[in-house]
Amino acid sequence: LIALFLIIVTGIFLRTFHFSDFLQFNPDQARDAKIVSDWISGNEAMPLFGPKAGGTEFHLGPIFYYFESASAKIFGNMPDKMAYPDLFFSIFSIPLLYIFLKKYFNSAISLVLTFIFSISFFAVFYSRFSWNPNQIPFFTLLFLFSIMQLSEEGNKFKKLWAVLFGASLAILIQLHTLLLISLPIFTAIVIAYLVKRKLIGAREIIAMVLMVILLNFGQIYSEIKTG
C-alpha cells in the first residue's frame, strides 16, 4: 500500500506540476473550449454532438463536451479548467491499472507495471491537455475490469458492474471512431459468452442497454429531431 501510494503521488506530481503554464493547447482545444464556453455562458444551445473525427465532417458523441462543461462550471470557465477531466481520469487510471493487473499478476509485478505507467512520457503528456482520446485509458480499464467482474461466478454486485460496463461502453464509443466501430461488435461477443455461461441474465443486459441509451441521449435525440 505504501509503494502504491508513492507511485500515485509521483504520477500526480508529474501530471499536475505547473499544469496551467505547461498546458498543451492546439486549434482543436481552442474550438472545443469556445463551444463549451458559449454553452455554459448561455450564448449557444447544449451541443448534441461532440468533436469532429480526424478532420472529417463526422461528429463523435458529446460526452467529452459534457465532462468539460462540468469542470468549467465547478472550477471556472477557462480553457485550463476544461482540461481537468483529462487530468483527473489520467490520475484515476493509475490505481485502477494496479487493481486490474492484480487480477493477473502478483503485487510486485503489478506495482512495477503501474510505476512504469505512472511515469510514462506518453501517459503524462496526454494528461496535460484536453483531447477526447485522452480519456480512453481510464474507461478502457473500467470496461475490461467490469467484464472480468461479470465473469466471476457468485459475484454479489453484478448489477453494479453491469451498469459500469454499460457506462464505460457508452462513453468509449463517444471518444474515438475506432471504438465506435469495434466496441459494439466486441460487446456483442462478450455478452453472448456471458449469457451462454449463464453468468448474466436479463436484468444485467437491460441495465447495460439503458446506460448506453442514457449516455448517448444527445445523438439519439438529434437524429430523431432531424430525421
Side-chain angles (χ1 to χ4, degrees):
L1 287 175
I2 294 173
L4 181 60
F5 174 76
L6 293 175
I7 289 170
I8 294 171
V9 169
T10 302
I12 292 173
F13 172 77
L14 293 174
R15 286 159 175 77
T16 58
F17 181 73
H18 284 287
F19 181 78
S20 297
D21 296 333
F22 299 159
L23 187 69
Q24 179 79 9
F25 202 76
N26 300 325
D28 285 356
Q29 282 67 56
R31 174 204 63 198
D32 296 338
K34 186 178 187 307
I35 290 172
V36 172
S37 180
D38 288 344
W39 170 33
I40 65 175
S41 299
N43 297 325
E44 295 289 343
M46 181 179 75
L48 298 179
F49 287 98
K52 292 181 180 180
T56 67
E57 292 303 313
F58 178 78
H59 286 265
L60 294 165
I63 196 74
F64 175 70
Y65 287 158
Y66 298 165
F67 284 140
E68 282 195 332
S69 66
S71 183
K73 282 280 190 181
I74 296 170
F75 300 107
N77 188 4
M78 295 292 290
D80 61 323
K81 307 301 187 292
M82 297 177 194
Y84 282 2
D86 297 75
L87 171 64
F88 293 152
F89 286 128
S90 179
I91 292 171
F92 296 152
S93 65
I94 298 173
L96 182 57
L97 176 64
Y98 175 77
I99 294 169
F100 178 79
L101 291 171
K102 275 282 289 177
K103 287 285 186 178
Y104 292 98
F105 308 111
N106 60 34
S107 296
I109 295 175
S110 301
L111 284 170
V112 170
L113 293 174
T114 304
F115 176 68
I116 292 172
F117 174 77
S118 73
I119 65 170
S120 164
F121 171 79
F122 288 103
V124 172
F125 177 78
Y126 286 107
S127 69
R128 300 182 70 97
F129 77 106
S130 185
W131 189 41
N132 45 292
N134 293 346
Q135 300 169 13
I136 289 175
F138 173 81
F139 287 105
T140 299
L141 283 169
L142 181 61
F143 177 76
L144 295 174
F145 191 72
S146 299
I147 293 173
M148 294 169 67
Q149 296 299 104
L150 288 170
S151 301
E152 291 183 354
E153 294 184 10
N155 192 306
K156 297 179 180 180
F157 303 101
K158 287 204 172 184
K159 291 178 184 176
L160 171 62
W161 290 113
V163 169
L164 292 175
F165 176 89
S168 55
L169 170 64
I171 292 170
L172 284 168
I173 62 176
Q174 298 184 60
L175 296 179
H176 201 282
T177 314
L178 289 177
L179 298 178
L180 175 63
I181 297 170
S182 61
L183 276 190
I185 299 171
F186 176 74
T187 298
I189 295 171
V190 168
I191 291 177
Y193 168 79
L194 294 174
V195 170
K196 185 177 180 181
R197 292 286 305 274
K198 297 182 179 179
L199 295 169
I200 62 171
R203 291 182 179 180
E204 286 79 16
I205 295 174
I206 291 172
M208 296 174 193
V209 173
L210 287 177
M211 286 305 300
V212 173
I213 293 174
L214 177 64
L215 293 178
N216 285 271
F217 178 76
Q219 303 127 287
I220 296 170
Y221 172 75
S222 179
E223 295 294 348
I224 295 172
K225 184 178 178 181
T226 60

